[in-house]
Amino acid sequence: MGVCMGMDLKELENRISLLAADGIGGKRDLLPLYADKEAVGALVAYLAEPFRGKVDCVCSPEPLGFIIGSMLARELGVGLVVIRRNSQFLIDPEEQVTASYINHRDQVTTLITERALLPAGSRVLLADDWMSTAATMQACVNMVEDAGCVVAGIATVGATYQSAARDMVDTGKLRCVYCEKGQE
């Protein structure tokens, strides 16, 4: 148990556990946490700590991942690449990186970003607000690697500790504040 900017990590975990959860994957509503400057400061410091000086950019998916991603990018002094979900923006197919996955509603979701935003060889920190099944994050990993970049790590506020998230923890690349055991 560590201390983050004066707030005990256990206290931060407890605050997250008290937030409203959805009925699908146990995802918590993190917006009230983001409004608390002491909590968000501790959260960002904790998530950023192992990646200081080790990443060239932070890459985060819509719709909510880029909130924590932008805070981490600022903390780490790097840029933010937003991965769009089912984007209506026109990106020349020759200039894009995409990945698709099946979401929790059994629908195909396509992620897209501009290849130029991910120069080959870049060290990328992937950041998202929550991982329920890790399907979105695995698609992000695929995109970054397809662009010729290296996934330096993954940071998430919370995760339901199902098999895919556990595999990411086991690789040593996942930094998570609140991981709860999920039903297998």
Side-chain angles (χ1 to χ4, degrees):
M1 177 171 24
V3 175
C4 312
M5 293 184 60
M7 179 179 286
D8 183 88
L9 185 58
K10 189 67 178 166
E11 181 182 350
L12 189 55
E13 291 172 342
N14 287 338
R15 287 191 188 186
I16 294 170
S17 74
L18 297 173
L19 297 171
D22 71 10
I24 299 168
K27 180 177 181 174
R28 306 291 174 156
D29 178 7
L30 298 173
L31 297 182
L33 186 74
Y34 295 160
D36 179 332
K37 73 177 183 177
E38 182 181 350
V40 80
L43 174 70
V44 171
Y46 176 79
L47 290 175
E49 188 268 325
F51 306 108
R52 292 185 191 284
K54 298 179 181 174
V55 300
D56 300 309
C57 70
V58 174
C59 195
S60 297
E62 291 180 324
L64 296 175
F66 74 91
I67 296 172
I68 192 67
S70 63
M71 290 187 276
L72 283 168
R74 174 77 168 106
E75 180 78 8
L76 294 169
V78 298
L80 173 70
V81 176
V82 175
I83 297 176
R84 297 183 181 274
R85 193 179 301 234
N86 298 325
S87 180
Q88 300 301 310
F89 287 93
L90 299 176
I91 300 173
D92 182 338
E94 305 256 337
E95 302 298 324
Q96 64 187 14
V97 182
T98 65
S100 295
Y101 67 96
I102 306 295
N103 67 21
H104 61 277
R105 293 187 180 107
D106 289 328
Q107 299 169 331
V108 175
T109 300
T110 300
L111 302 177
I112 183 172
T113 197
E114 294 179 57
R115 185 173 300 280
L117 300 177
L118 293 170
S122 297
R123 300 167 299 163
V124 177
L125 172 61
L126 293 169
D128 204 356
D129 62 329
W130 199 274
M131 289 183 359
S132 296
T133 66
T136 304
M137 190 55 67
Q138 188 56 58
C140 291
V141 167
N142 295 343
M143 286 180 70
V144 166
E145 291 176 347
D146 286 349
C149 299
V150 175
V151 176
I154 299 167
T156 184
V157 177
T160 303
Y161 197 59
Q162 295 176 353
S163 60
R166 184 174 48 248
D167 291 346
M168 291 178 180
V169 168
D170 292 345
T171 66
K173 287 191 173 187
L174 179 64
R175 180 77 158 181
C176 181
V177 174
Y178 181 82
C179 289
E180 64 181 35
K181 302 278 186 214
Q183 300 298 318
E184 295 291 328

